[in-house]
Amino acid sequence: MDDLKLLQFYHLYTARQMTLHQRRSNIWQHIIPELASESRYLMHLLLALGGIHMVKQKADANRIVSFQNSDTVDLAIIMKHHQRGLEGFREDVSRISPSNAEAVFTGSMLVVAFAFAFLKIEDFNPLTGPTKGRSGAMADPISTNTMPRLNWLYLNRGVTSVIGDQWKTLKTSRLRQILLLQHSDEFWVNSSSNAPSRISHCSPRLLKFADGARQAVASIKASLNMLEHDLSSCSGTPTSQPSPPTTLGWAMDAHNETICILESVYSRILSILGCASTENPTDKEIQLDLEEAAILSWPNLLPSAFLASLETSDHNYFSGLSLVIFAHFYLVNTLVDTWYMRGSFEGEIPRVHALIDSLNESHLSTFMLWPKEVMSLPLTCTS
């Protein structure tokens, strides 16, 4: 009975709300269930995704998560489906080839969507704490009290690895519409100067983002440049040197590269917000363009050296600056209004802010004021 509830919920709600694009929606509504009917582990992952959506929808409606509601399948059952799905998924990934590329790619998407939604749910329920109810791909051995949660990010990067490894097969597969994006960065940059602006039609959150994005990046750049200068001159250093000179230079290069990536992602969003295809653009139209521009792909662009700085045990100005940059990437995810993203990263930014505050570096804490202001505003137009 519970499995039937989960399957019905997936078909009635989850599959229809995964994307705003009709051609991609068809994949979630028809192709993925078809693939799941051919694979036991994909069916487990599909049921788990429908289940976590069911729980999250109830949580969003009530503002308080109730795991004993008769209309909601118990979270323990949902997690059991997820764990069984992960077991089969790991086995299939280990022997990935053109013959199972569709299944592995489908499994990757189901796991990542679950991970996004799970960020919000795990904070409310002891079943999903750091040492209970999680293993395998959902496990995060690092204490969430000392470092940001990165398991979702590595899962996201894993999807890209699957696509890259099996591109020849996937680009002609039943899932190809998921992979096809109509517009590149150049499209938005070139179009924004000739199209009417839609900034005035944006939601308060997007409007606040547009108003402060460039200044936020410039301020972080200036701080990083100052840190680099101080370290190179070996005088007035705001923190103890975290590593040998060669390693430090490697880390600084990674951070400079990461700032450029952040600036590029922000510029892409600003171009989208400044490029209206109709005189009175709606929230849906803007969200469609954000999806088409793949603004959530930023985790795949980050240098490994930068990610390593987020997992270091060092607690100093340099590690704090890494967290500041990372929080500004998190802000991108709060601009996307889908059920699996909604509320997840609004909770992660304060978590990162708390880590930064623990360093007692007031200058770094001021960088977090703007992201928190942005995410506190409504993502939909109030008029």
Side-chain angles (χ1 to χ4, degrees), residues 74 132 164 170 225-226 289 305 373:
D74 189 83
K132 296 181 180 181
L170 293 174
N225 290 337
M226 184 179 297
D289 284 341
E373 288 177 3

Side-chain angles (χ1 to χ4, degrees), residues 179-291:
L179 303 170
L180 300 178
L181 299 174
Q182 292 181 347
H183 306 311
S184 63
D185 285 355
E186 290 74 16
F187 171 86
W188 296 111
V189 172
N190 294 333
S191 298
S192 60
S193 60
N194 301 318
S197 174
R198 58 183 170 193
I199 292 292
S200 60
H201 299 280
C202 288
S203 67
R205 184 178 300 184
L206 290 172
L207 188 61
K208 185 70 174 179
F209 176 87
D211 185 53
R214 288 192 175 90
Q215 181 58 50
V217 173
S219 297
I220 298 174
K221 267 188 174 181
S223 184
L224 186 61
N225 290 337
M226 184 179 297
L227 175 62
E228 188 171 16
H229 176 269
D230 288 343
L231 291 174
S232 63
S233 64
C234 296
S235 63
T237 306
T239 181
S240 58
Q241 187 167 306
S243 53
T246 54
T247 304
L248 181 60
W250 178 53
M252 290 300 301
D253 289 344
H255 279 63
N256 283 318
E257 181 183 351
T258 303
I259 283 292
C260 290
I261 294 169
L262 179 66
E263 185 172 32
S264 175
V265 174
Y266 275 22
S267 295
R268 189 189 315 177
I269 296 171
L270 293 176
S271 295
I272 292 168
L273 299 182
C275 176
S277 56
T278 61
E279 290 186 4
N280 296 297
T282 62
D283 290 332
K284 181 178 179 180
E285 178 190 314
I286 294 172
Q287 288 295 321
L288 279 166
D289 284 341
L290 290 175
E291 180 181 332

Side-chain angles (χ1 to χ4, degrees), residues 338-379:
T338 59
W339 73 264
Y340 50 89
M341 299 296 292
R342 198 175 299 130
S344 294
F345 289 89
E346 286 86 342
E348 291 302 292
I349 290 176
R351 180 188 297 272
V352 174
H353 191 185
L355 296 176
I356 294 170
D357 281 345
S358 69
L359 300 175
N360 295 318
E361 294 281 359
S362 58
H363 179 61
L364 292 177
S365 295
T366 60
F367 284 126
M368 296 301 298
L369 296 178
W370 176 72
K372 293 187 73 174
E373 288 177 3
V374 173
M375 72 171 197
S376 68
L377 296 171
L379 186 53

Side-chain angles (χ1 to χ4, degrees), residues 267-335:
S267 295
R268 189 189 315 177
I269 296 171
L270 293 176
S271 295
I272 292 168
L273 299 182
C275 176
S277 56
T278 61
E279 290 186 4
N280 296 297
T282 62
D283 290 332
K284 181 178 179 180
E285 178 190 314
I286 294 172
Q287 288 295 321
L288 279 166
D289 284 341
L290 290 175
E291 180 181 332
E292 196 64 43
I295 67 168
L296 295 182
S297 64
W298 60 263
N300 308 309
L301 307 175
L302 300 183
S304 297
F306 174 76
L307 294 179
S309 72
L310 296 172
E311 299 181 285
T312 180
S313 58
D314 295 334
H315 298 288
N316 50 40
Y317 190 92
F318 189 78
S319 63
L321 193 56
S322 301
L323 291 170
V324 166
I325 297 170
F326 197 53
H328 281 70
F329 275 110
Y330 270 170
L331 191 62
V332 172
N333 292 11
T334 71
L335 305 181

Side-chain angles (χ1 to χ4, degrees), residues 94-110:
S94 67
R95 54 174 183 268
I96 188 170
S97 68
S99 64
N100 69 349
E102 277 190 328
V104 172
F105 181 44
T106 298
S108 299
M109 292 190 294
L110 291 169

